[in-house]
Amino acid sequence: MTMTVQTTKTVFPAQAASKEYAASLDEAEPLTKMRDEFIIPSKANLATKKLAKPGLSPESSIYFCGNSLGLQPKATSKYMEAQLDTWASIGVCGHFTDLEDSPLSQWQLLSDQAAESMCKIVGAEPAEVAAMGTLTMNLHLLLASFYKPTETKRKILMDWKAFPSDHYAIESQIAWHGLDAKENMVLIGPDEGQYEISTEKILSYIDQHAHDAALILMPGIQYYTGQLFDIPRITKYAQERGLVVGWDLAHAYGNVEIKLHEWDVDFAAWCTYKYGNAGPGAMAGLFVHERHGQVDYSDGEDKPKFRHRLTGWYGGDRSVRFKMDNKFKPIPGAGGFMVSNPSVIDLTTLCASLSVFDKTNMTDLRQKSIKMTAYLEYLLLKDTTDETRQFQIITPSDPNARGAQLSLLLKPGLLHKVAERLQDAGIICDKREPDVVRVAPVPLYNTFSEVWQFVEVFKSALAA
C-alpha cells in the first residue's frame, strides 16, 4: 500500500530562470488550457472598493491563494442560473423532476451527483462519499460515531499545529464524554528547531499510546507548513495497533492524489472551497469506508443493524423516507450519515466546480503541480545561499511530501513590507503571522509564467 509513485527532483537547465523559459513550459503543458475554465480577478478590481463586473480589465492578477479560497469557475453562473430557473419555474417539483438541458439532476438526487464526481478526487467508491454540511460539522458527526472512548483507550492523537477548528472539535468531543481534554489530547509535533514531522515520529507516538489511544486524526496536508503526510503508511500502522484512523483533507482535497478506499481509511472529511473551487463556505464532503456503512437486515426489515451515528431524516433510505413512520432505515454507505436536507444552492456551486474536475484527473493535476512547485523552489533558491537568504522554505523539499503550497518563513519584520509589495503588484498570497507567506500555485488555473513573475516581485520586495 503506497501513497504515490516516487518522484525525483526536477533538474532545470541553465536558462530556466528566464521569462522565455517559463513561457515555454506553459506552451508545452496540456493543462494550461484549463485556466480558461476560471474567472481570474483583475488588478483593477482588486484595487477598488466598489462592486465591479469581472473580466472588464485586461490585466489579470496573479492568484496564488487557492489554499485559502479557490477561484470561481465560469460554470458556476451557468449552473446557478439553471438552479434558479428550476426553482422559479416548477417550485417544489424540482425535488423530483429531471429537466432536459439542465446540468443538474433533480434536487433529491443532487447530493448523489456531487458524490459521484467527488469520489474520484478522493479515491473512493461513490457510496463511500457524501456531500453535506461543513468541514467542522462533519468532523463532529464523524467523531460522534467513531470516537468511542473506553476506560483504558480514550486518548486522541493529533497534529501539534492543527487548524483551530480541528483542535476545538477534538477538545469538545473529549469533554462531551466527561473527560479532561488536556489529559486526553496528544499533540504530535516536530523535533526542536524543525518544522517537518517525520513519519517515524508519528509512528513512535502511535506505539507509545497504542494502549491508551482510541483514535488518531491528522491533516492530510498541514495547513501551515504544507507538509503532505504519508496517509497509507500511518493509517495501516495505527489500525494494526487498534486505533481508529481519520483524516482532515481540507488542504489535500483537489490538491494531491488520494486513495481513501484502497488505503483502508476509516473516515475522512474535507472542505471544497480551497483547491476545490466551490465557493466561500461551500458544502463539504465526508468519507466513510464501506465496511462502516453496511446495513444488516438479518434480524428483519424493521430491525436494521448499523454503525451508530447521529441520525437525521435525510440519512434515511429514499424508498421509505416519505412514509414518515419514524422507523429509521439508513442509506447504506456514507449517505446514511447525512442529517438534513442539503442546500441546493450550495450543491449547485459544488457541482459546477466538480464539472471542471470531471474534464481532467488528479494524476495529471498532480504531475503539473509537482513541476510548478519544483520551478518555484528552483527560482526562489537560485543565486542565494543559506547565509544571504532572507527567508526559509519550511515546506518539505521532497515532492512526495508536499502539495501545491510552499511556505516561506521570512526574517522577522519583513512580512508586512513584502505582503504590501505583492499586493501592489496584483499578487494574491496568504500570509500567516508573524512571518510566513504561503504561496500556492494551483495547477488548474496558474501558470509557470506567473511563478516566474511572483519570484521577480518577491525578491525585489526583499531587497527594497
Side-chain angles (χ1 to χ4, degrees), residues 189-233:
D191 292 335
E192 185 70 27
Q194 301 295 313
Y195 293 92
E196 182 177 353
I197 307 173
S198 69
T199 300
E200 286 67 29
K201 183 160 190 179
I202 296 171
L203 301 186
S204 73
Y205 268 73
I206 294 171
D207 281 335
Q208 182 181 344
H209 292 281
H211 68 288
D212 61 8
L215 183 145
I216 179 171
L217 178 69
M218 293 286 288
I221 290 180
Q222 215 285 333
Y223 85 95
Y224 184 72
T225 65
Q227 178 182 356
L228 168 61
F229 292 105
D230 193 337
I231 298 174
R233 186 179 175 196

Side-chain angles (χ1 to χ4, degrees), residues 4 76 172 251 334 365:
T4 59
T76 302
S172 61
H251 286 264
L365 289 172

Side-chain angles (χ1 to χ4, degrees), residues 261-425:
H261 178 82
E262 178 184 323
W263 295 341
D264 209 35
V265 168
D266 290 304
F267 70 90
W270 56 88
C271 55
T272 61
Y273 52 80
K274 299 179 188 295
Y275 298 100
N277 312 305
M283 184 169 288
L286 62 79
F287 165 89
V288 176
H289 197 279
E290 63 179 4
R291 67 180 178 279
H292 298 304
Q294 295 175 357
V295 183
D296 179 3
Y297 289 101
S298 59
D299 290 343
E301 285 294 314
D302 291 337
K303 297 180 180 179
K305 292 184 289 185
F306 53 92
R307 184 181 187 88
H308 178 75
R309 77 286 305 262
L310 297 180
T311 53
W313 186 55
Y314 231 75
D317 196 287
R318 278 187 291 272
S319 64
V320 296
R321 182 179 292 166
F322 285 94
K323 285 188 175 181
M324 316 296 281
D325 60 4
N326 292 334
K327 295 179 180 179
F328 184 70
K329 297 179 67 174
I331 299 170
F337 285 73
M338 297 180 70
V339 177
S340 302
N341 186 356
S343 163
V344 174
I345 297 288
D346 288 338
L347 278 172
T348 297
T349 63
L350 176 56
C351 287
S353 72
L354 289 168
S355 74
V356 179
F357 280 94
D358 285 340
K359 295 179 180 181
T360 181
N361 60 79
M362 288 308 302
T363 298
D364 290 346
L365 289 172
R366 176 64 170 150
Q367 289 306 309
K368 181 185 175 184
S369 180
I370 288 171
K371 295 176 188 174
M372 293 185 80
T373 51
Y375 189 51
L376 174 60
E377 182 181 41
Y378 165 79
L379 293 177
L380 285 168
L381 299 181
K382 183 176 173 55
D383 299 328
T384 67
T385 65
D386 291 343
E387 290 73 26
T388 63
R389 202 176 300 131
Q390 297 188 73
F391 64 92
Q392 176 188 353
I393 301 176
I394 61 174
T395 307
S397 184
D398 178 4
N400 298 294
R402 68 188 187 198
Q405 170 184 315
L406 292 188
S407 294
L408 312 181
L409 176 65
L410 309 184
K411 287 188 175 181
L414 292 175
L415 180 63
H416 292 290
K417 179 186 76 169
V418 170
E420 184 177 349
R421 291 294 184 96
L422 293 173
Q423 182 82 23
D424 290 344

